[in-house]
Amino acid sequence: MDVRLPGEIRPVLDNGIPAVMVTCSAVGIPNTTVISQVYYVDDTHVALSFQFFNKTIRNVRENPRAHVTLHDIPGLTTWMLELQFDRSETEGPVFDAMDMQIEAIASATGMSGIFKLRAADIYHVVSVERQSYRPHA
């Protein structure tokens, strides 16, 4: 059975807050990195921006599972995605849209021309979990 992304996650994917990605090598060595973009492809796939994360990419090629945490600060919610690497795209509509968004992010932060999208890595969504923050009284 395919896991589907709920509609409530769409604004979180577009909120501009960097996400945290965790991968693990074939021998079990973890790696954590911050990624600038998690892009909605369809209700069972997301694309992650591949810019300059050599250890992360090496891990994903050895072990295609990854975990991504997204933050919805105004909604006091964290989303955790378990993903399975599917393919890497270096052209086409998903790549072009992500490239344009990364350039907009770079431009807004005064770093235009520094961030270069090398590929849009497409992942199948294995699981999605939403957790709400519990404010302390």
Side-chain angles (χ1 to χ4, degrees):
M1 184 169 124
D2 276 340
V3 172
R4 303 210 177 274
L5 292 168
E8 307 88 53
I9 201 169
R10 290 292 300 273
V12 180
L13 295 171
D14 296 334
N15 70 10
I17 298 172
V20 176
M21 180 180 187
V22 179
T23 60
C24 193
S25 71
V27 296
I29 300 169
N31 182 60
T32 302
T33 191
V34 175
I35 56 174
S36 58
Q37 191 176 29
V38 180
Y39 182 84
Y40 178 88
V41 175
D42 60 39
D43 62 353
T44 60
H45 294 87
V46 294
L48 305 182
S49 55
F50 168 26
Q51 293 167 267
F52 33 67
F53 309 114
N54 292 330
K55 185 183 283 187
T56 300
I57 296 306
R58 186 171 52 248
N59 283 356
V60 168
R61 299 311 187 256
E62 291 177 8
N63 174 9
R65 292 288 179 131
H67 291 264
V68 172
T69 302
L70 302 161
H71 300 282
D72 176 9
I73 305 299
L76 299 175
T77 302
T78 299
W79 292 86
M80 284 139 307
L81 304 177
E82 182 181 355
L83 305 172
Q84 172 94 23
F85 178 75
D86 185 21
R87 66 189 181 281
S88 195
E89 296 182 358
T90 56
E91 61 184 15
V94 171
F95 178 85
D96 292 342
M98 289 182 73
D99 192 40
M100 190 168 59
Q101 284 186 2
I102 285 182
E103 183 53 37
I105 292 167
S107 180
T109 58
M111 302 183 86
S112 188
I114 295 174
F115 299 125
K116 177 72 177 133
L117 183 64
R118 293 168 56 185
D121 284 349
I122 311 297
Y123 289 80
H124 180 78
V125 177
V126 176
S127 70
V128 58
E129 182 181 342
R130 178 183 179 176
Q131 290 188 344
S132 296
Y133 297 127
R134 304 258 191 255
H136 292 37

